[in-house]
Amino acid sequence: MSETKKLYYPDRAFSKKARIKNMCEYEDLMKWAKEDYEGYWGYWANEKIDWFEPYSKVLDESNAPFYKWFTGGKLNVSHQCIDRHLRLRKNKAAIIFEGDRGDKQTITYLELYRNVNRFANLLKNRFDVKKGDRIVLYMPMIPEAAYAMLACARIGAIHSVVFGGFSSEALRSRIIDAEAKVVITADGAFRKGKPYMLKPVVDTALEEGCECVEKVLVVQRNHEDIVWIEGRDYSYNELIALEDDECAPERMDSEDPLFLLYTSGSTGKPKGVQHSQAGYILWAQMTMEWTFDVKENDTYWCTADIGWITGHTYIVYGPLSMGATTVMFEGVPTYPDAGRAWKMIEEYKINQFYTAPTAIRVLHKTGEHEPEKYDLSSLKVLGTVGEPIDPPAWKWYYEKIGGRRCPIVDTWWQTETGGHMINPLPGATPIKPACATFPLPGIMAEVLKRDGTPVSAGEQGLLCITKPWPSMIRTIWQDPERFKKSYFGEIEKDGKPIYFSGDGAIVDEDGYITITGRVDDVINISGHRMGTAEIESAIKKHPHVAEVAVVGKPDPIKGESIFAYIVLKNADDTFGEEAELVKEINEVIAKEIGNIAKCDTIKIVPGLPKTRSGKVMRRILRAIAKGEEIKQDISTLEDPGVVAKIEACVKG
Ligand code: WT7
């Protein structure tokens, strides 16, 4: 039997102690959810959330697709993540931090409580932050980033974390869109042993159009050469010691926004995905418990950055809401060598390890035998996220890291879903390699055709979620119409608009779901989502560029790489070397978006393949980038001859 067809069953001893022990239990939960959807979710909300005041209704569908969950309920997410654990876990490690340079810190739940309360008091009393105000975080991976998020949650402010790799322009547009009152940053951070600066990026971002920002709070990590603006910039290190370590948690409504997180779409500028309080924290905690099956004395490590949803849900909110110990790592797993991650697993006796397929491929390639040098026997569950994992990477992860003992939970979800949606349960699901398997209990996922009918086994279709779920996106910040159009505008089932993820998937004869990737104009580079439209509009800022089309090209390490076709304004332009132009274009991208969006390939072409109505045929461009033969009918193009010319440019 080929490796990918084989089923990998959970270990019996593990299953016995797991929260969901077998497929019968899984089926029972699913049956319950199908028969009594509100009863099912209401049960879990009562079981898991420490309510200040009970909710009155589980699900309000009256203004679909603007669904409301647990309406009337009052809670506080920082109380759920910290205060309620103090009785039993006050001296338990909440966060274990390891910096790029090997510096270490352990923060207990009691210390976390004090730090978050001081932070909350600082924001509330000194910066006059009120419930509903937006706070932008532009932070490295340091414990203060988690304190800041939880402090916002404590006082009811809405945080919007912007990944530290985004440029000042990208930061500026997010600050403006959210109309943020405060920006929290650090002077700088470290990567591969070298310092890099963050505060100057904030300074540049705030130069124009950010009048909304009143204060900037800077966590100082001893980087020099910081410029301070009187009356605007404040040192966290100086102020925090003055604050009281008690701050009463704000009574938040279930549906008050908890945070915004900007993500790329297939068109236009990034959208501010808005999440709520109760539904989000409920599912963050439940998925943490079900997917990773973390036990009281376990140590759990997710390698994501808090700038992405994975960092929000599975470094901060999920682990802390269940009272777990979460590891926060500033560095990269290949520095100082490709054994860094394995060394940390040995040292901290990590029990659950969660990372992206790209990281696995890089570690496999750069240090195939590194894992052998370390004791990885503490590991119980391995996870992947962000992109499809390929069978060779899966096999290495399973054999060399998990020692053939640990189930691999391949988790499919999105910024918009808030938490896991489709993945194996480590104690129950027989796993097929590189397959997300089944929806979690309570999640109604289906693979459909455009007309809303199910695909047959083995046929590719569109991955949809047919019922609302508690941690779902509530709206796009300031743009409810775009929310409706982006997610509920394409597919209907039984006459009702349903959530369409933008991903394609295949269901096999056993009902297993395999994700095939985006079917829209979004590319996935190393598990990071980038809209082609966004990269294109950045490239268009270069004065010599007339037209541009960006596509994803399969890449053995990154999953996809960015491939741009560019038409110059004046073909005879004595612009100079093509290499020089390529460099300049990437500089423009780095300035507008950040280094993560730089193109791997840029080809200057005489024209783009367009239909008579002017639509760029990206499928043709994707095929050319891959070096594939063109199978599409090109006779309907405005200029069919352009295809051969583009092919010649790419090959030449
Ligand atoms: C997109 C969401 C979910 C947190 C990280 C990314 C792709 C995500 C998987 C997986 C195949 C996956 C999808 C999805 N994706 N997980 N296990 N297998 N593809 O969050 O930036 O919102 O991106 O990532 O294409 O739509 P995101």
Side-chain angles (χ1 to χ4, degrees):
M1 200 187 280
S2 90
E3 283 285 337
T4 47
K5 286 277 158 56
K6 207 166 121 188
L7 280 178
Y8 292 76
Y9 287 90
D11 174 72
R12 282 226 181 89
F14 181 95
S15 294
K16 256 191 178 164
K17 292 191 224 147
R19 288 184 178 80
I20 300 180
K21 298 176 179 22
N22 50 56
M23 288 311 273
C24 289
E25 288 190 8
Y26 168 81
E27 300 290 349
D28 284 349
L29 287 166
M30 258 317 198
K31 189 160 167 274
W32 176 13
K34 279 184 184 147
E35 284 169 2
D36 179 16
Y37 203 58
E38 290 195 40
Y40 173 85
W41 286 112
Y43 168 84
W44 290 114
N46 294 337
E47 190 75 7
K48 300 290 175 188
I49 294 183
D50 198 358
W51 295 98
F52 293 164
E53 225 171 276
Y55 55 84
S56 47
K57 188 160 175 40
V58 173
L59 172 61
D60 176 357
E61 302 188 85
S62 60
N63 189 25
F66 300 94
Y67 297 101
K68 289 183 183 160
W69 284 89
F70 313 117
T71 48
K74 299 272 186 228
L75 76 162
N76 184 284
V77 165
S78 84
H79 168 87
Q80 177 79 9
C81 291
I82 311 170
D83 307 30
R84 72 188 187 105
H85 301 312
L86 292 181
R87 200 168 61 84
L88 295 172
R89 306 190 175 101
K90 144 174 124 196
N91 296 320
K92 175 176 174 172
I95 299 175
I96 294 175
F97 167 74
E98 181 164 318
D100 180 71
R101 299 159 301 163
D103 41 322
K104 295 174 178 130
Q105 207 186 329
T106 299
I107 299 109
T108 65
Y109 271 93
L110 181 61
E111 288 164 337
L112 180 65
Y113 174 84
R114 292 184 175 145
N115 290 330
V116 168
N117 277 273
R118 286 196 192 103
F119 211 133
N121 276 327
L122 195 168
L123 294 176
K124 195 165 128 177
N125 302 334
R126 243 171 236 276
F127 289 177
D128 194 31
V129 174
K130 301 211 159 52
K131 180 174 166 179
D133 284 343
R134 274 81 54 211
I135 311 287
V136 163
L137 273 63
Y138 188 68
M139 297 281 273
M141 285 290 290
I142 52 175
E144 288 79 3
Y147 306 160
M149 290 164 77
L150 292 159
C152 288
R154 196 160 191 90
I155 61 174
I158 304 168
H159 62 70
S160 171
V161 184
V162 177
F163 173 59
F166 279 120
S167 69
S168 56
E169 286 297 324
L171 174 61
R172 183 203 327 260
S173 67
R174 285 158 176 79
I175 291 171
I176 293 172
D177 191 77
E179 293 174 271
K181 181 167 176 172
V182 173
V183 176
I184 304 173
T185 189
D187 47 7
F190 300 89
R191 196 183 143 90
K192 297 191 182 180
K194 294 194 186 75
Y196 67 91
M197 304 306 282
L198 289 164
K199 168 71 164 55
V201 183
V202 173
D203 291 338
T204 310
L206 296 184
E207 269 165 18
E208 268 172 54
C210 293
E211 287 78 27
C212 50
V213 175
E214 295 169 9
K215 303 270 194 284
V216 175
L217 186 65
V218 185
V219 178
Q220 289 181 278
R221 302 179 78 204
N222 298 321
H223 290 265
E224 284 155 16
D225 302 331
I226 287 293
V227 178
W228 293 89
I229 295 186
E230 236 346 269
R232 187 196 76 180
D233 300 347
Y234 293 84
S235 162
Y236 166 86
N237 309 45
E238 282 170 21
L239 293 184
I240 201 70
L242 309 173
E243 296 297 337
D244 193 79
D245 60 14
E246 292 282 342
C247 172
E250 191 76 34
R251 290 166 78 80
M252 302 300 289
D253 191 274
S254 293
E255 280 296 319
D256 283 332
L258 176 63
F259 65 83
L260 310 179
L261 187 56
Y262 284 80
T263 190
S264 299
S266 51
T267 55
K269 56 177 189 156
K271 35 196 183 187
V273 171
Q274 182 180 318
H275 279 289
S276 73
Q277 310 270 334
Y280 172 80
I281 201 66
L282 173 65
W283 196 233
Q285 184 180 328
M286 286 176 72
T287 50
M288 194 60 212
E289 293 174 353
W290 280 349
T291 301
F292 299 114
D293 213 70
V294 175
K295 297 283 194 278
E296 188 60 44
N297 295 318
D298 285 354
T299 302
Y300 156 92
W301 180 20
C302 165
T303 66
D305 189 285
I306 44 129
W308 312 108
I309 190 72
T310 310
H312 283 58
T313 312
Y314 297 109
I315 294 178
V316 180
Y317 289 118
L320 297 176
S321 60
M322 76 169 289
T325 298
T326 180
V327 173
M328 215 174 160
F329 175 50
E330 181 192 26
V332 293
T334 47
Y335 176 84
D337 57 52
R340 177 73 179 266
W342 321 132
K343 184 165 180 271
M344 282 177 64
I345 291 175
E346 174 181 282
E347 187 176 334
Y348 298 112
K349 299 193 172 53
I350 304 285
N351 305 106
Q352 296 84 15
F353 179 65
Y354 191 31
T355 196
T358 292
I360 298 166
R361 288 189 289 262
V362 168
L363 291 168
H364 182 191
K365 197 174 159 216
T366 55
E368 189 174 357
H369 298 291
E370 281 296 320
E372 294 155 18
K373 299 184 192 161
Y374 302 94
D375 176 7
L376 306 179
S377 63
S378 57
L379 288 170
K380 295 194 277 192
V381 177
L382 299 175
T384 67
V385 59
E387 49 182 330
I389 180 164
D390 49 297
W394 192 94
K395 194 164 172 264
W396 187 74
Y397 199 33
Y398 183 73
E399 291 178 352
K400 292 289 171 344
I401 309 306
R404 295 175 174 268
R405 269 182 345 272
C406 308
I408 296 180
V409 290
D410 176 352
T411 59
W412 176 84
W413 58 297
Q414 309 177 292
T415 304
E416 293 86 345
T417 69
H420 298 152
M421 299 296 275
I422 305 179
N423 57 264
L425 295 163
T429 316
I431 291 172
K432 291 188 185 184
C435 175
T437 74
F438 304 110
L440 287 170
I443 300 300
M444 304 301 159
E446 281 184 62
V447 181
L448 303 170
K449 296 186 207 154
R450 287 244 163 236
D451 66 4
T453 58
V455 291
S456 38
E459 189 189 346
Q460 180 171 317
L462 307 169
L463 180 56
C464 297
I465 314 296
T466 57
K467 266 182 160 302
W469 64 101
S471 66
M472 71 190 290
I473 171 177
R474 292 304 192 264
T475 188
I476 291 173
W477 180 252
Q478 306 282 39
D479 204 346
E481 276 314 306
R482 192 173 175 201
F483 164 74
K484 271 210 261 189
K485 224 176 113 209
S486 304
Y487 306 105
F488 292 87
E490 273 182 74
I491 304 187
E492 290 192 356
K493 197 189 164 206
D494 307 326
K496 234 173 116 179
I498 53 168
Y499 179 89
F500 170 45
S501 63
D503 280 308
I506 295 176
V507 189
D508 71 10
E509 61 284 358
D510 305 321
Y512 280 70
I513 301 173
T514 298
I515 314 298
T516 51
R518 303 291 303 197
V519 296
D520 54 9
D521 292 322
V522 167
I523 36 190
N524 189 322
I525 320 121
S526 310
H528 297 149
R529 185 164 149 187
M530 290 296 329
T532 50
E534 229 178 304
I535 306 173
E536 288 165 3
S537 60
I539 294 176
K540 276 188 200 142
K541 300 230 157 123
H542 190 286
H544 291 270
V545 173
E547 286 182 288
V548 51
V550 167
V551 297
K553 178 187 171 181
D555 181 276
I557 297 286
K558 297 196 279 188
E560 279 187 290
S561 65
I562 308 176
F563 195 117
Y565 295 90
I566 288 175
V567 183
L568 295 179
K569 278 189 184 148
N570 183 353
D572 307 321
D573 225 332
T574 48
F575 178 79
E577 289 297 305
E578 203 168 295
E580 188 57 30
L581 179 65
V582 164
K583 216 176 111 213
E584 281 191 26
I585 285 171
N586 267 331
E587 278 162 13
V588 174
I589 298 173
K591 178 170 173 282
E592 295 293 321
I593 307 173
N595 285 333
I596 47 168
K598 275 187 181 170
C599 295
D600 299 272
T601 319
I602 295 177
K603 292 286 176 190
I604 314 289
V605 293
L608 297 174
K610 286 186 195 159
T611 60
R612 291 203 180 92
S613 59
K615 194 173 171 297
V616 175
M617 294 292 285
R618 287 165 187 284
R619 253 183 306 151
I620 294 177
L621 293 174
R622 275 194 286 267
I624 297 175
K626 268 199 221 175
E628 276 178 5
E629 219 179 294
I630 309 295
K631 292 192 205 87
Q632 288 94 342
D633 175 16
I634 58 168
S635 65
T636 56
L637 293 182
E638 196 188 354
D639 170 20
V642 80
V643 173
K645 288 185 200 152
I646 299 172
E647 279 183 302
C649 293
V650 171
K651 283 190 190 129

